[in-house]
PDB file of all heavy atoms in Angstrom:
ATOM      1  N   ASP X 491      17.252  -0.939  12.500  1.00  0.00           N
ATOM      2  CA  ASP X 491      17.495  -2.151  13.295  1.00  0.00           C
ATOM      3  C   ASP X 491      18.263  -1.759  14.569  1.00  0.00           C
ATOM      4  O   ASP X 491      19.047  -0.784  14.598  1.00  0.00           O
ATOM      5  CB  ASP X 491      18.281  -3.160  12.483  1.00  0.00           C
ATOM      6  CG  ASP X 491      19.724  -2.718  12.248  1.00  0.00           C
ATOM      7  OD1 ASP X 491      19.905  -1.800  11.450  1.00  0.00           O
ATOM      8  OD2 ASP X 491      20.624  -3.285  12.846  1.00  0.00           O
ATOM      9  N   LEU X 492      18.057  -2.498  15.606  1.00  0.00           N
ATOM     10  CA  LEU X 492      18.630  -2.202  16.885  1.00  0.00           C
ATOM     11  C   LEU X 492      20.093  -2.541  16.957  1.00  0.00           C
ATOM     12  O   LEU X 492      20.844  -1.957  17.755  1.00  0.00           O
ATOM     13  CB  LEU X 492      17.858  -2.976  18.010  1.00  0.00           C
ATOM     14  CG  LEU X 492      16.438  -2.595  18.216  1.00  0.00           C
ATOM     15  CD1 LEU X 492      15.760  -3.518  19.221  1.00  0.00           C
ATOM     16  CD2 LEU X 492      16.295  -1.141  18.671  1.00  0.00           C
ATOM     17  N   GLU X 493      20.551  -3.473  16.143  1.00  0.00           N
ATOM     18  CA  GLU X 493      21.921  -3.905  16.216  1.00  0.00           C
ATOM     19  C   GLU X 493      22.910  -2.886  15.666  1.00  0.00           C
ATOM     20  O   GLU X 493      23.874  -2.499  16.275  1.00  0.00           O
ATOM     21  CB  GLU X 493      22.100  -5.260  15.513  1.00  0.00           C
ATOM     22  CG  GLU X 493      21.456  -6.439  16.217  1.00  0.00           C
ATOM     23  CD  GLU X 493      19.938  -6.386  16.065  1.00  0.00           C
ATOM     24  OE1 GLU X 493      19.425  -5.780  15.080  1.00  0.00           O
ATOM     25  OE2 GLU X 493      19.244  -6.958  16.951  1.00  0.00           O
ATOM     26  N   THR X 494      22.654  -2.429  14.439  1.00  0.00           N
ATOM     27  CA  THR X 494      23.601  -1.502  13.774  1.00  0.00           C
ATOM     28  C   THR X 494      23.092  -0.076  13.691  1.00  0.00           C
ATOM     29  O   THR X 494      23.883   0.852  13.549  1.00  0.00           O
ATOM     30  CB  THR X 494      23.881  -2.017  12.311  1.00  0.00           C
ATOM     31  OG1 THR X 494      22.709  -1.803  11.527  1.00  0.00           O
ATOM     32  CG2 THR X 494      24.294  -3.441  12.329  1.00  0.00           C
ATOM     33  N   GLY X 495      21.785   0.093  13.790  1.00  0.00           N
ATOM     34  CA  GLY X 495      21.235   1.468  13.622  1.00  0.00           C
ATOM     35  C   GLY X 495      21.319   2.013  12.261  1.00  0.00           C
ATOM     36  O   GLY X 495      21.171   3.192  12.022  1.00  0.00           O
ATOM     37  N   ALA X 496      21.613   1.160  11.276  1.00  0.00           N
ATOM     38  CA  ALA X 496      21.827   1.626   9.882  1.00  0.00           C
ATOM     39  C   ALA X 496      20.839   1.030   8.897  1.00  0.00           C
ATOM     40  O   ALA X 496      20.530   1.643   7.873  1.00  0.00           O
ATOM     41  CB  ALA X 496      23.272   1.273   9.429  1.00  0.00           C
ATOM     42  N   ARG X 497      20.314  -0.148   9.174  1.00  0.00           N
ATOM     43  CA  ARG X 497      19.408  -0.811   8.261  1.00  0.00           C
ATOM     44  C   ARG X 497      17.960  -0.303   8.447  1.00  0.00           C
ATOM     45  O   ARG X 497      17.426  -0.458   9.533  1.00  0.00           O
ATOM     46  CB  ARG X 497      19.445  -2.316   8.347  1.00  0.00           C
ATOM     47  CG  ARG X 497      18.562  -3.085   7.382  1.00  0.00           C
ATOM     48  CD  ARG X 497      18.860  -4.559   7.472  1.00  0.00           C
ATOM     49  NE  ARG X 497      18.595  -5.138   8.770  1.00  0.00           N
ATOM     50  CZ  ARG X 497      17.375  -5.594   9.179  1.00  0.00           C
ATOM     51  NH1 ARG X 497      16.364  -5.528   8.352  1.00  0.00           N
ATOM     52  NH2 ARG X 497      17.263  -6.104  10.399  1.00  0.00           N
ATOM     53  N   VAL X 498      17.393   0.323   7.428  1.00  0.00           N
ATOM     54  CA  VAL X 498      16.031   0.865   7.529  1.00  0.00           C
ATOM     55  C   VAL X 498      15.020  -0.242   7.444  1.00  0.00           C
ATOM     56  O   VAL X 498      15.085  -1.090   6.463  1.00  0.00           O
ATOM     57  CB  VAL X 498      15.781   1.913   6.432  1.00  0.00           C
ATOM     58  CG1 VAL X 498      14.364   2.458   6.520  1.00  0.00           C
ATOM     59  CG2 VAL X 498      16.778   3.039   6.561  1.00  0.00           C
ATOM     60  N   LEU X 499      14.104  -0.342   8.371  1.00  0.00           N
ATOM     61  CA  LEU X 499      13.098  -1.410   8.404  1.00  0.00           C
ATOM     62  C   LEU X 499      11.882  -1.046   7.635  1.00  0.00           C
ATOM     63  O   LEU X 499      11.519   0.100   7.475  1.00  0.00           O
ATOM     64  CB  LEU X 499      12.803  -1.730   9.856  1.00  0.00           C
ATOM     65  CG  LEU X 499      13.985  -2.105  10.775  1.00  0.00           C
ATOM     66  CD1 LEU X 499      13.520  -2.345  12.178  1.00  0.00           C
ATOM     67  CD2 LEU X 499      14.759  -3.278  10.194  1.00  0.00           C
ATOM     68  N   GLY X 500      11.135  -2.079   7.210  1.00  0.00           N
ATOM     69  CA  GLY X 500       9.933  -1.896   6.498  1.00  0.00           C
ATOM     70  C   GLY X 500       8.692  -1.708   7.372  1.00  0.00           C
ATOM     71  O   GLY X 500       8.799  -1.877   8.641  1.00  0.00           O
ATOM     72  N   PRO X 501       7.458  -1.520   6.789  1.00  0.00           N
ATOM     73  CA  PRO X 501       6.287  -1.371   7.579  1.00  0.00           C
ATOM     74  C   PRO X 501       6.045  -2.591   8.513  1.00  0.00           C
ATOM     75  O   PRO X 501       6.281  -3.723   8.073  1.00  0.00           O
ATOM     76  CB  PRO X 501       5.180  -1.318   6.473  1.00  0.00           C
ATOM     77  CG  PRO X 501       5.878  -0.818   5.282  1.00  0.00           C
ATOM     78  CD  PRO X 501       7.280  -1.385   5.336  1.00  0.00           C
ATOM     79  N   GLY X 502       5.668  -2.307   9.739  1.00  0.00           N
ATOM     80  CA  GLY X 502       5.411  -3.319  10.694  1.00  0.00           C
ATOM     81  C   GLY X 502       6.584  -3.848  11.480  1.00  0.00           C
ATOM     82  O   GLY X 502       6.446  -4.525  12.477  1.00  0.00           O
ATOM     83  N   GLU X 503       7.801  -3.523  10.988  1.00  0.00           N
ATOM     84  CA  GLU X 503       9.027  -4.005  11.687  1.00  0.00           C
ATOM     85  C   GLU X 503       9.394  -3.009  12.796  1.00  0.00           C
ATOM     86  O   GLU X 503       9.492  -1.818  12.562  1.00  0.00           O
ATOM     87  CB  GLU X 503      10.169  -4.139  10.685  1.00  0.00           C
ATOM     88  CG  GLU X 503      10.002  -5.236   9.665  1.00  0.00           C
ATOM     89  CD  GLU X 503      11.246  -5.411   8.812  1.00  0.00           C
ATOM     90  OE1 GLU X 503      11.386  -4.609   7.860  1.00  0.00           O
ATOM     91  OE2 GLU X 503      12.046  -6.266   9.108  1.00  0.00           O
ATOM     92  N   ARG X 504       9.679  -3.564  13.975  1.00  0.00           N
ATOM     93  CA  ARG X 504       9.977  -2.704  15.107  1.00  0.00           C
ATOM     94  C   ARG X 504      11.468  -2.503  15.237  1.00  0.00           C
ATOM     95  O   ARG X 504      12.283  -3.402  15.106  1.00  0.00           O
ATOM     96  CB  ARG X 504       9.396  -3.303  16.365  1.00  0.00           C
ATOM     97  CG  ARG X 504       7.912  -3.488  16.325  1.00  0.00           C
ATOM     98  CD  ARG X 504       7.339  -3.947  17.635  1.00  0.00           C
ATOM     99  NE  ARG X 504       5.874  -4.079  17.524  1.00  0.00           N
ATOM    100  CZ  ARG X 504       5.081  -4.197  18.582  1.00  0.00           C
ATOM    101  NH1 ARG X 504       5.591  -4.216  19.806  1.00  0.00           N
ATOM    102  NH2 ARG X 504       3.766  -4.275  18.421  1.00  0.00           N
ATOM    103  N   GLY X 505      11.847  -1.220  15.488  1.00  0.00           N
ATOM    104  CA  GLY X 505      13.244  -0.895  15.683  1.00  0.00           C
ATOM    105  C   GLY X 505      13.373   0.470  16.356  1.00  0.00           C
ATOM    106  O   GLY X 505      12.377   1.043  16.778  1.00  0.00           O
ATOM    107  N   GLU X 506      14.546   0.994  16.371  1.00  0.00           N
ATOM    108  CA  GLU X 506      14.816   2.307  16.986  1.00  0.00           C
ATOM    109  C   GLU X 506      14.454   3.392  15.959  1.00  0.00           C
ATOM    110  O   GLU X 506      14.748   3.290  14.761  1.00  0.00           O
ATOM    111  CB  GLU X 506      16.273   2.441  17.428  1.00  0.00           C
ATOM    112  CG  GLU X 506      16.534   3.791  18.085  1.00  0.00           C
ATOM    113  CD  GLU X 506      17.902   3.930  18.712  1.00  0.00           C
ATOM    114  OE1 GLU X 506      18.713   2.983  18.539  1.00  0.00           O
ATOM    115  OE2 GLU X 506      18.140   4.984  19.364  1.00  0.00           O
ATOM    116  N   ILE X 507      13.861   4.483  16.468  1.00  0.00           N
ATOM    117  CA  ILE X 507      13.444   5.539  15.633  1.00  0.00           C
ATOM    118  C   ILE X 507      14.562   6.586  15.585  1.00  0.00           C
ATOM    119  O   ILE X 507      15.121   6.999  16.615  1.00  0.00           O
ATOM    120  CB  ILE X 507      12.203   6.237  16.180  1.00  0.00           C
ATOM    121  CG1 ILE X 507      11.065   5.201  16.289  1.00  0.00           C
ATOM    122  CG2 ILE X 507      11.718   7.380  15.333  1.00  0.00           C
ATOM    123  CD1 ILE X 507       9.873   5.666  17.149  1.00  0.00           C
ATOM    124  N   ARG X 508      14.962   6.997  14.353  1.00  0.00           N
ATOM    125  CA  ARG X 508      15.918   8.056  14.185  1.00  0.00           C
ATOM    126  C   ARG X 508      15.285   9.178  13.380  1.00  0.00           C
ATOM    127  O   ARG X 508      14.422   8.941  12.554  1.00  0.00           O
ATOM    128  CB  ARG X 508      17.244   7.533  13.564  1.00  0.00           C
ATOM    129  CG  ARG X 508      17.137   7.095  12.107  1.00  0.00           C
ATOM    130  CD  ARG X 508      18.469   6.645  11.575  1.00  0.00           C
ATOM    131  NE  ARG X 508      18.426   6.361  10.128  1.00  0.00           N
ATOM    132  CZ  ARG X 508      19.457   5.925   9.451  1.00  0.00           C
ATOM    133  NH1 ARG X 508      20.632   5.718  10.021  1.00  0.00           N
ATOM    134  NH2 ARG X 508      19.374   5.725   8.156  1.00  0.00           N
ATOM    135  N   LEU X 509      15.831  10.407  13.559  1.00  0.00           N
ATOM    136  CA  LEU X 509      15.210  11.590  13.020  1.00  0.00           C
ATOM    137  C   LEU X 509      16.224  12.462  12.348  1.00  0.00           C
ATOM    138  O   LEU X 509      17.402  12.529  12.750  1.00  0.00           O
ATOM    139  CB  LEU X 509      14.512  12.349  14.127  1.00  0.00           C
ATOM    140  CG  LEU X 509      13.730  11.594  15.175  1.00  0.00           C
ATOM    141  CD1 LEU X 509      13.440  12.495  16.386  1.00  0.00           C
ATOM    142  CD2 LEU X 509      12.444  11.076  14.605  1.00  0.00           C
ATOM    143  N   ARG X 510      15.741  13.256  11.378  1.00  0.00           N
ATOM    144  CA  ARG X 510      16.577  14.249  10.779  1.00  0.00           C
ATOM    145  C   ARG X 510      15.706  15.407  10.281  1.00  0.00           C
ATOM    146  O   ARG X 510      14.683  15.179   9.636  1.00  0.00           O
ATOM    147  CB  ARG X 510      17.393  13.650   9.589  1.00  0.00           C
ATOM    148  CG  ARG X 510      18.356  14.613   8.978  1.00  0.00           C
ATOM    149  CD  ARG X 510      19.438  13.830   8.143  1.00  0.00           C
ATOM    150  NE  ARG X 510      18.835  13.132   7.057  1.00  0.00           N
ATOM    151  CZ  ARG X 510      19.504  12.301   6.236  1.00  0.00           C
ATOM    152  NH1 ARG X 510      20.771  12.075   6.435  1.00  0.00           N
ATOM    153  NH2 ARG X 510      18.861  11.671   5.222  1.00  0.00           N
ATOM    154  N   GLY X 511      16.076  16.638  10.617  1.00  0.00           N
ATOM    155  CA  GLY X 511      15.294  17.782  10.143  1.00  0.00           C
ATOM    156  C   GLY X 511      15.864  19.064  10.688  1.00  0.00           C
ATOM    157  O   GLY X 511      16.678  19.069  11.607  1.00  0.00           O
ATOM    158  N   PRO X 512      15.417  20.214  10.150  1.00  0.00           N
ATOM    159  CA  PRO X 512      15.998  21.498  10.539  1.00  0.00           C
ATOM    160  C   PRO X 512      15.580  21.982  11.924  1.00  0.00           C
ATOM    161  O   PRO X 512      16.192  22.925  12.428  1.00  0.00           O
ATOM    162  CB  PRO X 512      15.492  22.459   9.438  1.00  0.00           C
ATOM    163  CG  PRO X 512      14.153  21.816   9.016  1.00  0.00           C
ATOM    164  CD  PRO X 512      14.429  20.352   9.056  1.00  0.00           C
ATOM    165  N   GLN X 513      14.619  21.380  12.542  1.00  0.00           N
ATOM    166  CA  GLN X 513      14.121  21.815  13.884  1.00  0.00           C
ATOM    167  C   GLN X 513      14.890  21.195  15.025  1.00  0.00           C
ATOM    168  O   GLN X 513      14.641  21.559  16.196  1.00  0.00           O
ATOM    169  CB  GLN X 513      12.623  21.553  14.035  1.00  0.00           C
ATOM    170  CG  GLN X 513      12.247  20.129  14.231  1.00  0.00           C
ATOM    171  CD  GLN X 513      12.031  19.343  12.933  1.00  0.00           C
ATOM    172  OE1 GLN X 513      12.771  19.538  11.999  1.00  0.00           O
ATOM    173  NE2 GLN X 513      11.006  18.517  12.911  1.00  0.00           N
ATOM    174  N   PHE X 514      15.806  20.247  14.716  1.00  0.00           N
ATOM    175  CA  PHE X 514      16.424  19.514  15.822  1.00  0.00           C
ATOM    176  C   PHE X 514      17.664  20.266  16.347  1.00  0.00           C
ATOM    177  O   PHE X 514      18.263  21.078  15.732  1.00  0.00           O
ATOM    178  CB  PHE X 514      16.769  18.120  15.350  1.00  0.00           C
ATOM    179  CG  PHE X 514      15.537  17.249  15.118  1.00  0.00           C
ATOM    180  CD1 PHE X 514      15.211  16.852  13.806  1.00  0.00           C
ATOM    181  CD2 PHE X 514      14.668  16.943  16.095  1.00  0.00           C
ATOM    182  CE1 PHE X 514      14.091  16.122  13.579  1.00  0.00           C
ATOM    183  CE2 PHE X 514      13.524  16.235  15.910  1.00  0.00           C
ATOM    184  CZ  PHE X 514      13.221  15.798  14.623  1.00  0.00           C
ATOM    185  N   THR X 515      18.026  19.843  17.550  1.00  0.00           N
ATOM    186  CA  THR X 515      19.120  20.486  18.289  1.00  0.00           C
ATOM    187  C   THR X 515      20.418  20.402  17.481  1.00  0.00           C
ATOM    188  O   THR X 515      20.666  19.476  16.689  1.00  0.00           O
ATOM    189  CB  THR X 515      19.360  19.770  19.651  1.00  0.00           C
ATOM    190  OG1 THR X 515      20.424  20.335  20.314  1.00  0.00           O
ATOM    191  CG2 THR X 515      19.626  18.295  19.476  1.00  0.00           C
ATOM    192  N   ARG X 516      21.240  21.413  17.677  1.00  0.00           N
ATOM    193  CA  ARG X 516      22.587  21.401  17.095  1.00  0.00           C
ATOM    194  C   ARG X 516      23.568  20.585  17.952  1.00  0.00           C
ATOM    195  O   ARG X 516      24.726  20.449  17.598  1.00  0.00           O
ATOM    196  CB  ARG X 516      23.100  22.850  16.959  1.00  0.00           C
ATOM    197  CG  ARG X 516      22.261  23.731  15.985  1.00  0.00           C
ATOM    198  CD  ARG X 516      22.408  23.180  14.595  1.00  0.00           C
ATOM    199  NE  ARG X 516      21.574  23.896  13.632  1.00  0.00           N
ATOM    200  CZ  ARG X 516      21.924  24.926  12.906  1.00  0.00           C
ATOM    201  NH1 ARG X 516      23.155  25.428  13.090  1.00  0.00           N
ATOM    202  NH2 ARG X 516      21.103  25.504  12.065  1.00  0.00           N
ATOM    203  N   GLY X 517      23.076  20.127  19.062  1.00  0.00           N
ATOM    204  CA  GLY X 517      23.922  19.300  19.976  1.00  0.00           C
ATOM    205  C   GLY X 517      23.661  19.557  21.415  1.00  0.00           C
ATOM    206  O   GLY X 517      22.884  20.506  21.763  1.00  0.00           O
ATOM    207  N   TYR X 518      24.236  18.763  22.294  1.00  0.00           N
ATOM    208  CA  TYR X 518      24.046  18.931  23.740  1.00  0.00           C
ATOM    209  C   TYR X 518      25.219  19.750  24.280  1.00  0.00           C
ATOM    210  O   TYR X 518      26.368  19.493  23.954  1.00  0.00           O
ATOM    211  CB  TYR X 518      24.002  17.577  24.408  1.00  0.00           C
ATOM    212  CG  TYR X 518      22.897  16.662  23.949  1.00  0.00           C
ATOM    213  CD1 TYR X 518      23.197  15.507  23.225  1.00  0.00           C
ATOM    214  CD2 TYR X 518      21.559  16.969  24.157  1.00  0.00           C
ATOM    215  CE1 TYR X 518      22.177  14.666  22.791  1.00  0.00           C
ATOM    216  CE2 TYR X 518      20.550  16.174  23.669  1.00  0.00           C
ATOM    217  CZ  TYR X 518      20.847  14.994  23.032  1.00  0.00           C
ATOM    218  OH  TYR X 518      19.878  14.185  22.547  1.00  0.00           O
ATOM    219  N   ARG X 519      24.905  20.677  25.130  1.00  0.00           N
ATOM    220  CA  ARG X 519      25.900  21.531  25.734  1.00  0.00           C
ATOM    221  C   ARG X 519      26.845  20.759  26.641  1.00  0.00           C
ATOM    222  O   ARG X 519      26.378  20.021  27.512  1.00  0.00           O
ATOM    223  CB  ARG X 519      25.232  22.684  26.499  1.00  0.00           C
ATOM    224  CG  ARG X 519      26.167  23.706  27.152  1.00  0.00           C
ATOM    225  CD  ARG X 519      25.366  24.813  27.759  1.00  0.00           C
ATOM    226  NE  ARG X 519      26.219  25.764  28.458  1.00  0.00           N
ATOM    227  CZ  ARG X 519      26.863  26.782  27.888  1.00  0.00           C
ATOM    228  NH1 ARG X 519      26.735  26.967  26.572  1.00  0.00           N
ATOM    229  NH2 ARG X 519      27.558  27.655  28.581  1.00  0.00           N
ATOM    230  N   ASN X 520      28.114  20.889  26.394  1.00  0.00           N
ATOM    231  CA  ASN X 520      29.158  20.298  27.266  1.00  0.00           C
ATOM    232  C   ASN X 520      29.029  18.792  27.328  1.00  0.00           C
ATOM    233  O   ASN X 520      29.385  18.175  28.331  1.00  0.00           O
ATOM    234  CB  ASN X 520      29.102  20.875  28.700  1.00  0.00           C
ATOM    235  CG  ASN X 520      29.308  22.385  28.720  1.00  0.00           C
ATOM    236  OD1 ASN X 520      30.088  22.904  27.889  1.00  0.00           O
ATOM    237  ND2 ASN X 520      28.639  23.046  29.621  1.00  0.00           N
ATOM    238  N   ARG X 521      28.499  18.128  26.292  1.00  0.00           N
ATOM    239  CA  ARG X 521      28.322  16.683  26.286  1.00  0.00           C
ATOM    240  C   ARG X 521      28.850  16.055  24.994  1.00  0.00           C
ATOM    241  O   ARG X 521      28.099  15.537  24.179  1.00  0.00           O
ATOM    242  CB  ARG X 521      26.852  16.319  26.460  1.00  0.00           C
ATOM    243  CG  ARG X 521      26.182  16.737  27.753  1.00  0.00           C
ATOM    244  CD  ARG X 521      26.735  15.886  28.926  1.00  0.00           C
ATOM    245  NE  ARG X 521      26.052  16.160  30.161  1.00  0.00           N
ATOM    246  CZ  ARG X 521      26.308  17.122  30.989  1.00  0.00           C
ATOM    247  NH1 ARG X 521      27.349  17.922  30.730  1.00  0.00           N
ATOM    248  NH2 ARG X 521      25.600  17.326  32.065  1.00  0.00           N
ATOM    249  N   PRO X 522      30.199  16.094  24.781  1.00  0.00           N
ATOM    250  CA  PRO X 522      30.709  15.576  23.532  1.00  0.00           C
ATOM    251  C   PRO X 522      30.479  14.098  23.317  1.00  0.00           C
ATOM    252  O   PRO X 522      30.192  13.665  22.190  1.00  0.00           O
ATOM    253  CB  PRO X 522      32.252  15.880  23.621  1.00  0.00           C
ATOM    254  CG  PRO X 522      32.496  16.133  25.091  1.00  0.00           C
ATOM    255  CD  PRO X 522      31.233  16.699  25.629  1.00  0.00           C
TER     256      PRO X 522
END
Side-chain angles (χ1 to χ4, degrees):
D491 70 290
L492 296 174
E493 290 74 24
T494 70
R497 182 170 61 87
V498 179
L499 304 180
E503 293 185 278
R504 300 185 178 195
E506 182 172 4
I507 302 166
R508 69 178 186 181
L509 317 165
R510 184 163 64 185
Q513 74 273 39
F514 292 113
T515 179
R516 295 296 175 91
Y518 301 114
R519 182 174 176 84
N520 301 327
R521 295 290 188 274

